[in-house]
Amino acid sequence: MEKLLVLDFGGQYAHLIAKRFRKLGYYTEIALPEITTDEINDDVKGIILSGGPASVYEKNVPVFNDKILQLNIPILGLCYGHQLLNILHKGEVKKAAVGEYGFAMLKSNGNQDDSVLLKGIKLPAQVWMSHTDEVTVKPDSFINTAFTDHCRYAVLENKELKRFSVQFHAEVKDTVFGMEMFDNFAKFCRISKNWDSDQVLSIIINDIKKTAGDKNVLLFLSGGVDSSVAFALLNKALGTERVLGLYINNGFMRKNESEEIVSLYRSIGYNNFIGVDKTDTFLKNVGNQTDPQTKRKIIGETFINVRDEVVKSQNLDEDNWLLAQGTLYPDIIESGGTKHSNVIKTHHNRVDGIKDLIERGLVIEPLKDLYKDEVREIGKVLGLPDELVFRHPFPGPGISINLLCSEGKNNDAENFEKTKDALLKLPPYDKANFDYKLYPIEVKSVGVQGDFRTYSFPAVLDVNNFFDKKISWDVLEEFSSYITNNVFGVNRTILKLHETSGSSGKLTKSFCNKERLDMIREVDYIFIKRLRESNWYGKIFQHLTISLPFADDEKKCSIVLRPVVSEDVMTARFAHLDIDILKSICDDIKKLPFIFNIYYDITNKPPATFGWE
């Protein structure tokens, strides 16, 4: 079968590139960059070099078989791939004077008429950037087709050599013409359209049957769309008598969530599942742990231990049962699950216990190569109700990963002071026709910048009487990008919505216990209920209510509201919620007795991730 080949340099979006080409109808596979030329047969009509966390000028870079460049096959480089192609054709790459994360405007350099990649595309147009390095000297034989304000060589092409490269991420939907550009490249490769969604479902069903063999399957159910679709697929492929769903109430669910999930599964007609309440076990195991990575790992290992208990209590023959998970590709890549990828955050389905079972061939993950929107398409084909298919994602660890924990001490005071100083020295934002203050808050959050994990103090954008100013979200979005692009180490900007007057906050002790989890549940319930009432729920991909250990005493917390809009989790924009609705929600939340301050996360992904840890 004719195909395109994506060489994965460990970027966050390698599989997303393949997904986009498949969406256009072109069969696409993933391979490692050290693939031999003997493995690239006549069926390969084009090669795409993905992004990655490395810098091409460093020593420890992914091995790339540069003999591939001798093949008479079109090659497209994206981000790291863009820089690699240029280095290998005698260009130069250095650290950029200004890193770019998020939106940028691509502008024509006057050579667009003869462009392969930009044929039929109207410029200027929005692209999505995430890079700290840039091409500083282009190869002589390449044409410079387009640029951005901070990237001189954003699109480079050599039609004769069949070599093309772009600095931006064309695979994310925030690059508005990305699919057109990919289609232009595929047409240049002269590949036939040979792929559709029916083949995807057929392949998954066949893979399940092949992987399971004659074994039965025990699946972790969370009530979210991923595990629910995985459950439906397993039932379809193997039959209900060979599949058992296990729903574990870990104490980290939203308000009334467990009861709703059980009722929903029953209403669909699923009776081949059991539920167990292990709230006390999970809370005890997490204890006073404050490190977010360690907390995730503890929760993941506890899931495995509970699974083992259930296998014994149900008298299941362990040798005859596989463990199934609704793992998606973003979970794998963010956990550093491909050869050259950087660990952004360890997902509960990629802890050591799970990886050990995977190596022993005891885990089946029917959705592991897919993204959220693809999973939802399959859910609809399988006949699952919209209430499940379009439910906001809810990970296995639930709200425990929205609760930031602390011993009450800032262990990185030096970098906190550096961040504070950098924010004070940042030149005024020229589009801000309002008074504001910028300062960091003494809690850290995780981000992804240039395919690297970052962990740093967020910047607070303090606009006095914000709700009276009627500032557009577009201005705030650009302001947020201005801050994270220009202040080294800052990966997130939060807008102050409410501040407790007459009291200064401080870092407080906070642990993952029922009292603090209940605080999140109450705020989250108010926010989600209002989203549904105002018909905003379906416009939001996911909302996270984040609890910060920042208040005037340990019985209170600060809250960050984090609704995001996304297609596939790999990129996202913060939700431009109606200001009047947001004010009404804020007014209700600040009545709760434990509320100190309220913030609204106005950071896109990248440079921030969805959650804070």
Side-chain angles (χ1 to χ4, degrees):
M1 180 186 288
E2 291 184 348
K3 62 187 174 185
L4 299 173
L5 200 61
V6 177
L7 302 190
D8 180 6
F9 288 90
Q12 294 292 299
Y13 310 123
H15 271 60
L16 185 54
I17 299 166
K19 171 191 155 185
R20 293 301 189 213
F21 280 106
R22 292 197 302 261
K23 189 84 171 178
L24 287 166
Y26 306 108
Y27 178 57
T28 308
E29 291 182 355
I30 306 285
L32 291 174
E34 54 262 45
I35 187 173
T36 66
T37 53
D38 291 338
E39 295 174 274
I40 302 175
N41 58 32
D42 292 340
D43 286 338
V44 177
K45 299 302 180 183
I47 296 174
I48 301 96
L49 311 181
S50 84
S55 291
V56 293
Y57 48 77
E58 293 178 344
K59 293 182 180 179
N60 298 321
V61 296
V63 175
F64 172 62
N65 177 19
D66 58 10
K67 291 182 180 178
I68 290 171
L69 297 181
Q70 299 172 15
L71 300 175
N72 187 32
I73 297 175
I75 297 178
L76 170 63
L78 304 175
C79 203
Y80 177 88
H82 165 70
Q83 296 162 11
L84 179 63
L85 268 184
N86 281 275
I87 283 285
L88 294 175
H89 285 89
K90 311 303 182 185
E92 292 183 11
V93 175
K94 294 181 179 179
K95 187 175 180 63
V98 177
E100 285 183 296
Y101 307 106
F103 297 118
M105 293 303 293
L106 188 73
K107 304 169 186 178
S108 174
N109 207 37
N111 298 313
Q112 192 177 345
D113 290 344
D114 197 39
S115 170
V116 169
L117 298 183
L118 301 177
K119 182 179 179 180
I121 294 169
K122 186 177 180 180
L123 297 182
Q126 175 185 292
V127 296
W128 191 266
M129 290 285 196
S130 182
H131 69 103
T132 54
D133 297 331
E134 66 176 342
V135 174
T136 53
V137 177
K138 76 173 183 67
D140 291 338
S141 59
F142 281 63
I143 295 173
N144 180 22
T145 312
F147 66 98
T148 70
D149 288 344
H150 298 294
C151 182
R152 181 180 177 185
Y153 301 115
V155 181
L156 292 170
E157 305 185 46
N158 187 318
K159 191 185 299 186
E160 288 70 33
L161 290 178
K162 302 180 182 178
R163 302 295 179 256
F164 311 91
S165 65
V166 302
Q167 180 59 70
F168 52 87
H169 287 284
E171 66 273 23
V172 304
K173 73 169 189 174
D174 302 287
T175 293
V176 295
F177 56 83
M179 294 292 273
E180 295 173 71
M181 195 189 88
F182 280 170
D183 200 36
N184 284 342
F185 177 72
K187 287 174 179 174
F188 183 82
C189 295
R190 300 183 182 277
I191 182 174
S192 305
K193 291 201 173 187
N194 55 3
W195 188 251
D196 60 42
S197 57
D198 289 340
Q199 287 177 286
V200 177
L201 184 56
S202 176
I203 288 172
I204 292 174
I205 294 295
N206 288 333
D207 280 349
I208 290 173
K209 292 178 179 179
K210 181 180 178 180
T211 303
D214 59 356
K215 294 182 183 293
N216 298 326
V217 177
L218 175 66
L219 169 74
F220 282 145
L221 282 170
S222 69
V225 60
D226 305 336
S227 63
S228 297
V229 171
F231 193 41
L233 284 167
L234 291 165
N235 283 324
K236 182 177 179 65
L238 305 176
T240 57
E241 68 281 357
R242 293 181 56 193
V243 180
L244 178 63
L246 172 59
Y247 171 68
I248 302 171
N249 182 357
N250 51 21
F252 305 141
M253 308 304 289
R254 296 186 180 105
K255 188 174 182 178
N256 303 326
E257 187 109 27
S258 292
E259 296 83 357
E260 291 175 3
I261 288 171
V262 171
S263 176
L264 187 54
Y265 282 136
R266 298 288 186 209
S267 69
I268 298 171
Y270 288 138
N271 294 307
N272 57 329
F273 78 93
I274 57 176
V276 295
D277 189 339
K278 292 293 180 179
T279 298
D280 292 341
T281 300
F282 278 87
L283 289 177
K284 178 182 177 183
N285 289 355
V286 171
N288 289 348
Q289 182 56 245
T290 59
D291 179 72
Q293 288 285 79
T294 303
K295 186 168 66 173
R296 282 175 175 268
K297 291 178 181 178
I298 290 172
I299 292 169
E301 298 293 352
T302 304
F303 271 116
I304 295 298
N305 294 336
V306 171
R307 175 258 185 191
D308 294 342
E309 291 176 14
V310 171
V311 167
K312 291 179 181 178
S313 67
Q314 296 293 314
N315 296 315
L316 305 178
D317 180 3
E318 190 163 0
D319 293 334
N320 196 40
W321 284 82
L322 298 175
L323 174 67
Q325 300 188 123
T327 309
L328 303 190
Y329 180 72
D331 300 342
I332 297 172
I333 189 66
E334 287 193 335
S335 298
T338 63
K339 184 172 181 180
H340 303 296
S341 59
N342 191 252
V343 176
I344 306 304
K345 54 188 177 185
T346 299
H347 287 256
H348 71 287
N349 46 30
R350 277 298 177 274
V351 297
D352 290 342
I354 292 288
K355 288 191 284 189
D356 178 61
L357 292 174
I358 291 173
E359 290 175 3
R360 291 161 54 194
L362 298 177
V363 175
I364 182 169
E365 296 174 311
L367 307 175
K368 68 181 183 300
D369 293 321
L370 302 182
Y371 291 79
K372 186 74 69 176
D373 56 319
E374 293 177 306
V375 172
R376 285 182 165 145
E377 287 178 14
I378 291 174
K380 291 297 291 181
V381 172
L382 292 170
L384 294 178
D386 287 355
E387 190 175 356
L388 264 182
V389 173
F390 296 104
R391 190 182 188 90
H392 283 190
F394 194 65
I399 59 175
S400 70
I401 54 177
N402 297 343
L403 172 55
L404 274 64
C405 301
S406 170
E407 293 281 358
K409 298 177 182 178
N410 181 0
N411 296 319
D412 195 7
E414 182 179 350
N415 276 325
F416 179 75
E417 291 302 320
K418 287 181 180 178
T419 304
K420 182 191 294 185
D421 186 55
L423 289 170
L424 284 172
K425 291 179 179 178
L426 185 67
Y429 185 57
D430 56 10
K431 294 183 182 178
N433 58 351
F434 48 87
D435 293 329
Y436 64 86
K437 292 185 291 184
L438 283 176
Y439 49 85
I441 190 171
E442 284 186 298
V443 289
K444 285 187 172 182
S445 74
V446 69
V448 53
Q449 295 173 283
D451 285 315
F452 276 101
R453 177 186 191 270
T454 57
Y455 192 54
S456 56
F457 299 104
V460 176
L461 175 58
D462 185 347
V463 180
N464 192 36
N465 296 318
F466 163 72
F467 287 114
D468 296 331
K469 297 293 191 297
K470 303 298 182 182
I471 307 167
S472 78
W473 286 125
D474 289 338
V475 168
L476 293 171
E477 185 172 42
E478 291 180 12
F479 198 174
S480 175
S481 294
Y482 172 72
I483 294 167
T484 54
N485 283 353
N486 288 279
V487 180
F488 180 76
V490 171
N491 58 24
R492 198 178 295 265
T493 304
I494 55 177
L495 175 68
K496 188 195 75 175
L497 299 182
H498 164 73
E499 183 177 66
T500 298
S501 59
S503 181
S504 59
K506 61 183 179 180
L507 198 62
T508 62
K509 286 187 177 181
S510 173
F511 305 112
C512 191
N513 54 42
K514 185 177 183 300
E515 179 184 12
R516 298 196 81 84
L517 290 166
D518 283 343
M519 293 178 183
I520 294 180
R521 275 187 267 266
E522 288 303 317
V523 176
D524 190 75
Y525 182 78
I526 290 172
F527 197 93
I528 295 294
K529 183 172 182 288
R530 192 59 59 84
L531 287 183
R532 292 187 187 280
E533 291 172 348
S534 60
N535 294 319
W536 267 88
Y537 185 85
K539 302 174 187 177
I540 303 295
F541 179 87
Q542 184 180 19
H543 168 68
L544 302 93
T545 298
I546 311 294
S547 173
L548 305 183
F550 183 80
D552 53 0
D553 68 61
E554 294 178 6
K555 294 296 183 182
K556 297 179 181 179
C557 68
S558 290
I559 290 292
V560 178
L561 303 175
R562 177 62 165 157
V564 292
V565 177
S566 180
E567 178 185 63
D568 44 43
V569 185
M570 300 308 293
T571 64
R573 297 178 74 179
F574 75 89
H576 293 196
L577 196 63
D578 182 272
I579 294 292
D580 291 334
I581 294 173
L582 181 59
K583 183 180 186 307
S584 176
I585 292 172
C586 188
D587 287 342
D588 286 345
I589 292 173
K590 68 185 183 184
K591 294 175 184 175
L592 297 171
F594 54 82
I595 292 297
F596 185 65
N597 293 346
I598 304 173
Y599 305 97
Y600 195 77
D601 194 331
I602 58 171
T603 326
N604 295 331
K605 177 184 179 180
T609 52
F610 279 42
W612 278 50
E613 65 171 46

